[in-house]
Amino acid sequence: MTVEHHNLTISANGSLPKVPFLDIKEAILGKSYDLSISFVGPKVAQVLNKQYRDKDYTPNTLSFPMTKTSGELFICRTVAHKEWHKFCTSYDDYIIFLLIHSMLHLKGFDHGSTMEAKETFFM
């Protein structure tokens, strides 16, 4: 399944979580930012992580800025399904958190208290 609208493309095998993708994207990255979000399996996520980050594990999400106004996000559903219950939230809310987290990386934020405050604000 592929969904496209307003500088946003979302692709996944199967159905998408019930998440306000466009609203989140526009709030964090802006209306003109061109974003691609792909829900991928663990093998694809691990290969991307190894190829582009030289890390050999399956991540929950990966963020790749392409230009100042475009980027790509990859979310591994398998890892997200394994992790979401640890955060005392619903699966869809965990996906929202991963989207926010990944988009903040696209904006140049690194892990730390400033990024955590931004995550809390956008949640």
Side-chain angles (χ1 to χ4, degrees), residues 19-20 23-24 27-28 84 87-102 104 115-123:
V19 169
D23 292 341
I24 296 167
I28 298 171
W84 71 268
F87 296 91
C88 300
T89 190
S90 71
Y91 174 73
D92 287 350
D93 283 348
Y94 187 58
I95 294 297
I96 290 170
F97 169 78
L98 291 177
L99 288 167
I100 291 168
H101 181 85
S102 298
L104 289 172
M115 185 172 186
E116 289 172 9
K118 291 277 188 189
E119 289 167 344
T120 300
F121 172 79
F122 285 112
M123 281 302 287

Side-chain angles (χ1 to χ4, degrees), residues 6-114:
H6 302 285
N7 298 333
L8 175 63
T9 303
I10 307 163
S11 60
N13 289 333
S15 62
L16 292 171
K18 293 181 181 359
V19 169
F21 293 98
L22 184 60
D23 292 341
I24 296 167
K25 177 237 171 230
E26 288 181 352
I28 298 171
L29 299 171
K31 290 185 179 190
S32 63
Y33 195 93
D34 191 15
L35 180 65
S36 170
I37 301 170
S38 297
F39 287 87
V40 298
K43 289 182 182 181
V44 170
Q46 186 172 7
V47 165
L48 289 169
N49 204 25
K50 179 69 174 162
Q51 183 176 355
Y52 293 102
R53 301 180 65 236
D54 200 28
K55 298 187 185 255
D56 196 19
Y57 66 90
T58 305
N60 52 18
T61 185
L62 291 164
S63 305
F64 297 105
M66 308 307 283
T67 68
K68 284 189 166 197
T69 59
S70 68
E72 297 180 333
L73 303 181
F74 296 87
I75 295 177
C76 181
R77 285 185 173 192
T78 303
V79 174
H81 271 287
K82 289 179 183 176
E83 293 177 344
W84 71 268
H85 67 279
K86 297 176 191 175
F87 296 91
C88 300
T89 190
S90 71
Y91 174 73
D92 287 350
D93 283 348
Y94 187 58
I95 294 297
I96 290 170
F97 169 78
L98 291 177
L99 288 167
I100 291 168
H101 181 85
S102 298
M103 289 180 199
L104 289 172
H105 278 308
L106 291 177
K107 288 198 57 103
F109 287 93
D110 290 324
H111 295 152
S113 59
T114 301

